[in-house]
Amino acid sequence: MSPTPQSPNGVGESGSKPLTTDASAPPSRPVVRRRTVLATLAAAGLGGVGLAAAPKAASAFGLTGRSGASAAEPDFGPNVSVFGPDTSAKDIQAKVDSVFKDQEKAQFGKARHAFLFKPGSYEADVNVGFFTQVAGLGLTPDDVKVSGAVHAEADWFDGNATQNFWRSAEGIAVTPKGGKDRWAVSQAAPYRRMHVKGDLELDDGGWSSGGLMADTVVDGQVRSGTQQQWLSRNTEWDSWEGSNWNMVFVGAKNAPGGDGFPKPPNTTVESAPKVREKPFLYVDKDGAYQVFVPAVREDATGASWSGGAPKGESLPLDGFRIAKAGDTASELNSALKDGKHLLLTPGIYELDEPLAVTKKNTVVLGLGLATLTPKGGHAVLKVADVDGVKLAGFLVEAGKENSPTLIEVGPKGADADHSANPTSLHDVFVRIGGAGAAKSETSLVINSSHVIADHLWLWRADHGDGVGWDTNPADTGLIVNGSDVTAYGLFAEHYKKYQVVWNGERGRTYFFQNEMPYDPPDQDAWMNGDTRGYAAYKVDKSVKEHQAFGLGSYCFFDVNNSVVADRSFEVPQAEGVKLQHMTSVSLGGKGTIAHVVNNTGGPANGDSQVATVTSYP
């Protein structure tokens, strides 16, 4: 994520039918420039062999999989490992270690994995590498108990977690060995529905630049360490220690105060005004697999499950097309047309036409960071202007041919009212370049109203293969045209023009993180008319009402240090447009952001690398 910064300041639904709760549930160092091609490990041994493809290996490890499984056990394909409480600790450890060995450094690799733990108790040390999801299959985290660790480290990068992307931990109660666990990550590495029975650390000694914690309880202390920025949404803990540039707390119990900004640089919002948690796969008391769709909560504080079973709706798995890499877009669209939901098992899906979601309440849920990529210059996913669609847990990767848009939520001109049953996006990530040359003008367009965006990372690659000013061109990360759209955890980086353009009324953003493009060759190549560069976050001049809380924008013009961005944030002068807690940073003093918002605040440059504005206007 970020290059070398200064020393840290602190270290150390409701839908068309009523939703129901499942009553059977139990209560309950300097960082070098990242433009380095990182080696990926070829799949070898059990780490690259799924259970369906290797029945002998699966049997040897005592794992639940396709081969030899009972008729009731779903076929999740070769890249999902399902563990039960009767699986030996030795076999679980051998499997997770084997996969981690392959995935620890595989930042742009093609392997995708999911480890799923059925309700029960386990002893395991689960080190989570790239493109790996670790998830409990309980209705609450306390249904799946792991003694040991579920953690992310940065040993592969000298302790710096600035590139620890694309992984997740969800739905597990962890009793950490030694009393503390670690989740040292940056973008696209969500930590959801976890219960840490001890302390949690968010760095690994070097720099880290995440991240998201949501719907999580930590019995002890959370220590952010060197995290440059972080969003904690609907969380609970005993205490929080640490801050650096942009720490945001929304609906978090025992959050630190946010009145002293920028010292400390905390933004505290008492409750999440309207939010839905991410859908998830679970196993009920009869051993049947279902997908739980959490209900929308309003003015929500704390975790959705800490008082017992969460509210929402359970969808039987037979209502889903269990998709696998190699399935065609036509096959998946036929399932969607027939009213099926999609469960995308881990793998890379090459699509020769967009997936078309046309029915209300459709769920598209990815496991193991399932990856969707276009085989031509078209979108990957289009959603009709219908109620209650849920998109969650997948990565979209641009192709070599230019896609004007990769994801479209609602067609152009969408105007339906979805306030009673909003569409929501959870852990939806986009990558342009890094694994090879790629093109896309706009990553995500939201035309529908009342959409909830719960954790997005939209990334024009700044390192890896196929990276360069003209090699992986991409103009804009997100365009919002719908009204009443809310974003929690909006990350958008390195696009050549605006990172985010907000045209809809009454939008709200809770936490924004951005890096401007590293690579403008000179100022003439990066001009917006008479304006030097492009703002990271632009609210259209026609907008009358907009709110945003906890905004960070950084520059690192390492190709040409003389490049200037006139401002980080560009908003209209309107009584209903209000921004709280904005930070601009010149990382290592490489380049200049002249102003923080419009013509206010700044500069951030080699002399004064951090500039802030508490409120605007």
Side-chain angles (χ1 to χ4, degrees):
M1 157 45 212
S2 296
T4 308
Q6 293 179 307
S7 298
N9 297 319
V11 292
E13 128 173 15
S14 51
S16 56
K17 59 181 179 179
L19 294 174
T20 58
T21 300
D22 189 330
S24 66
S28 271
R29 312 142 179 127
V31 183
V32 298
R33 182 181 178 211
R34 292 191 299 171
R35 196 159 296 170
T36 303
V37 180
L38 301 176
T40 58
L41 301 177
L46 288 173
V49 180
L51 306 184
K56 292 182 180 179
S59 176
F61 276 82
L63 308 178
T64 303
R66 177 179 175 181
S67 180
S70 67
E73 192 70 22
D75 176 9
F76 291 127
N79 303 318
V80 175
S81 300
V82 181
F83 304 124
D86 55 344
T87 311
S88 76
K90 180 180 178 181
D91 293 344
I92 293 173
Q93 197 64 55
K95 180 61 180 179
V96 299
D97 287 350
S98 176
V99 169
F100 179 72
K101 181 180 178 181
D102 289 337
Q103 296 304 108
E104 182 182 14
K105 302 179 182 180
Q107 184 171 177
F108 299 108
K110 295 184 178 181
R112 304 288 186 268
H113 296 274
F115 297 130
L116 307 181
F117 289 78
K118 290 184 175 183
S121 297
Y122 302 84
E123 292 185 6
D125 180 345
V126 187
N127 202 344
V128 187
F130 282 103
F131 300 108
T132 302
Q133 176 190 25
V134 180
L137 292 175
L139 191 58
T140 73
D142 290 332
D143 294 338
V144 179
K145 301 177 178 65
V146 171
S147 178
V150 176
H151 58 124
E153 311 285 346
D155 298 338
W156 72 281
F157 205 48
D158 297 326
N160 291 292
T162 56
Q163 294 181 35
N164 270 9
F165 311 143
W166 303 307
R167 65 197 72 199
S168 69
E170 307 176 40
I172 295 175
V174 183
T175 301
K177 183 179 180 179
K180 65 180 180 180
D181 215 342
R182 189 189 316 278
W183 193 249
V185 298
S186 291
Q187 292 84 346
Y191 197 80
R192 290 183 178 271
R193 292 190 309 108
M194 295 292 286
H195 184 185
V196 181
K197 298 184 176 182
D199 297 337
L200 181 65
E201 296 186 342
L202 302 179
D203 76 321
D204 194 15
W207 277 95
S208 45
S209 188
L212 172 82
M213 182 191 306
D215 205 27
T216 285
V217 175
V218 179
D219 290 351
Q221 184 180 74
V222 180
R223 293 189 283 273
S224 63
T226 58
Q227 279 291 346
Q228 296 168 352
Q229 61 270 313
W230 189 271
L231 172 63
S232 298
R233 181 188 60 68
N234 295 106
T235 50
E236 305 176 25
W237 46 63
D238 181 66
S239 63
W240 176 284
E241 179 186 281
S243 61
N244 284 300
W245 291 332
N246 184 29
M247 317 304 284
V248 180
F249 308 88
V250 181
K253 294 185 178 181
N254 290 331
D259 294 337
F261 185 88
K263 294 182 179 181
N266 296 335
T267 302
T268 301
V269 180
E270 183 176 352
S271 63
K274 195 168 190 175
V275 69
R276 176 191 282 125
E277 299 299 338
K278 179 186 175 184
F280 58 91
L281 187 68
Y282 80 103
V283 176
D284 67 17
K285 64 183 179 66
D286 297 320
Y289 285 80
Q290 303 197 52
V291 170
F292 189 77
V293 179
V296 171
R297 294 195 292 164
E298 297 190 9
D299 299 322
T301 59
S304 66
W305 52 269
S306 60
K311 294 181 180 180
E313 180 183 20
S314 293
L315 304 178
L317 199 58
D318 60 12
F320 285 75
R321 164 69 182 256
I322 301 178
K324 302 179 182 68
D327 289 353
T328 67
S330 177
E331 290 170 332
L332 300 180
N333 278 328
S334 179
L336 289 167
K337 186 176 180 180
D338 289 343
K340 290 280 190 177
H341 309 283
L342 295 183
L343 184 69
L344 304 171
T345 63
I348 298 176
Y349 296 74
E350 296 184 349
L351 306 176
D352 58 5
E353 63 182 61
L355 298 183
V357 177
T358 61
K359 297 186 182 298
K360 68 180 182 180
N361 299 323
T362 299
V363 175
V364 179
L365 175 61
L367 301 178
L369 287 97
T371 301
L372 310 177
T373 186
K375 291 178 69 174
H378 54 76
V380 162
L381 181 64
K382 291 187 175 185
V383 181
D385 194 25
V386 295
D387 276 358
V389 173
K390 296 93 184 171
L391 310 175
F394 56 84
L395 169 67
V396 171
E397 182 151 37
K400 293 181 180 180
E401 296 181 47
N402 180 58
S403 294
T405 301
L406 286 169
I407 306 173
E408 181 183 78
V409 180
K412 184 177 181 180
D415 60 0
D417 185 334
H418 305 294
S419 57
N421 184 15
T423 283
S424 54
L425 290 74
H426 314 265
D427 303 340
V428 173
F429 311 131
V430 173
R431 183 170 75 187
I432 304 164
K439 300 178 181 181
S440 177
E441 294 165 31
T442 304
S443 292
L444 170 61
V445 177
I446 299 177
N447 292 315
S448 289
S449 295
H450 306 100
V451 172
I452 299 170
D454 171 31
H455 194 207
L456 307 175
W457 187 34
L458 313 174
W459 188 60
R460 172 183 172 255
D462 63 277
H463 65 278
D465 286 335
V467 171
W469 189 248
D470 297 315
T471 306
N472 63 327
D475 289 347
T476 303
L478 171 65
I479 298 176
V480 179
N481 296 319
S483 61
D484 301 283
V485 172
T486 302
Y488 300 97
L490 173 53
F491 299 75
E493 297 192 291
H494 309 304
Y495 291 85
K496 296 177 68 172
K497 295 183 179 179
Y498 297 113
Q499 312 296 304
V500 172
V501 177
W502 209 293
N503 300 318
E505 285 287 356
R506 297 175 299 281
R508 289 179 294 189
T509 294
Y510 298 88
F511 181 92
F512 171 72
Q513 184 271 332
N514 157 256
E515 285 183 358
M516 294 177 173
Y518 287 177
D519 52 347
D522 51 46
Q523 192 69 65
D524 288 343
W526 202 51
M527 293 291 293
N528 180 15
D530 295 331
T531 301
R532 293 175 296 181
Y534 292 80
Y537 188 100
K538 174 184 170 61
V539 179
D540 188 76
K541 62 183 179 180
S542 66
V543 172
K544 303 301 181 186
E545 294 182 42
H546 187 91
Q547 296 183 67
F549 305 83
L551 310 172
S553 172
Y554 314 149
C555 76
F556 185 70
F557 301 134
D558 67 334
V559 172
N560 189 325
N561 297 172
S562 69
V563 172
V564 177
D566 273 337
R567 58 191 55 85
S568 288
F569 310 105
E570 181 178 330
V571 300
Q573 295 279 356
E575 183 178 353
V577 176
K578 299 178 181 180
L579 277 60
Q580 298 289 326
H581 297 184
M582 293 148 279
T583 301
S584 296
V585 182
S586 175
L587 295 164
K590 292 188 179 295
T592 297
I593 300 175
H595 300 287
V596 178
V597 53
N598 292 350
N599 294 320
T600 299
N605 55 24
D607 295 325
S608 180
Q609 295 184 24
V610 181
T612 63
V613 171
T614 300
S615 61
Y616 187 88

